[in-house]
Amino acid sequence: EAGVTQFPSHSVIEKGQTVTLRCDPISGHDNLYWYRRVMGKEIKFLLHFVKESKQDESGMPNNRFLAERTGGTYSTLKVQPAELEDSGVYFCASSPRQGAYTGELFFGEGSRLTVL
Amino acid sequence: AQSVTQPDIHITVSEGASLELRCNYSYGATPYLFWYVQSPGQGLQLLLKYFSGDTLVQGIKGFEAEFKRSQSSFNLRKPSVHWSDAAEYFCAAYNNNDMRFGAGTRLTVKP
């Protein structure tokens, strides 16, 4: 069974540019989460999808971040325009429906974003 | 506010030595507790979890963790560290749809 996959693994862009990160969850997982880790800090929650609906987006830092989950399958996270403080590692995680009640998540390898 | 604290940013141990990584949580009610590991170039992998019951939980790769309610702690232990254990370790707590992580502890293993 394929795990959670994320693309790109590393992206280097200049301030003001746009970047789109993609996450493919484990097939059949209804729950999809985005997290971010800024260097040396804790992994912080960004948002949670249940299928195609945003269940909780309280962690999204501002309106420069836009997340979508087309048809309840893969998800994209767009940052437009990117700022220096957006640099970090963006993790995607998924879980089956019952996972929402146990918190057990399956993580991708992360997408490292560097904004110059 | 709910939070997870890992007091040690970086720990170095010799191969074969014992290991303990500390984790404290601050929650109104006891959350579900997890330890994840991230090896270089890999995603976060679940080591073990505590939901309820026996306070000593066994995980993969020879790791175990002990839940202590009185200390609000969930420390990770391994009796004998292997060089392949060098990685970053994250403690996490889940309650009411809210999953929070500590800042991580980086483990270096000396030959």
Side-chain angles (χ1 to χ4, degrees), chain B:
Chain B
Q2 296 175 334
S3 65
V4 176
T5 302
Q6 292 179 247
D8 306 303
I9 297 171
H10 187 196
I11 283 183
T12 300
V13 299
S14 298
E15 190 167 16
S18 64
L19 171 70
E20 182 168 29
L21 302 183
R22 296 183 290 165
C23 173
N24 293 93
Y25 63 89
S26 175
Y27 276 73
T30 299
Y32 298 140
L33 295 162
F34 306 81
W35 275 98
Y36 284 87
V37 61
Q38 186 180 24
S39 299
Q42 312 228 342
L44 289 158
Q45 181 184 22
L46 181 66
L47 280 177
L48 46 77
K49 59 193 177 191
Y50 172 77
F51 292 164
S52 65
D54 193 347
T55 57
L56 186 63
V57 294
Q58 302 297 322
I60 62 171
K61 305 184 180 187
F63 285 91
E64 65 178 27
E66 185 171 13
F67 168 65
K68 291 186 178 180
R69 186 189 304 275
S70 61
Q71 298 177 18
S72 296
S73 69
F74 188 57
N75 294 348
L76 181 71
R77 302 195 294 245
K78 187 169 184 178
S80 177
V81 168
H82 187 261
W83 63 267
S84 61
D85 294 324
E88 192 153 20
Y89 293 79
F90 295 91
C91 181
Y94 176 87
N95 182 51
N96 195 27
N97 262 340
D98 184 310
M99 179 82 144
R100 290 177 189 259
F101 288 82
T105 298
R106 180 168 297 281
L107 174 65
T108 298
V109 181
K110 292 191 302 184

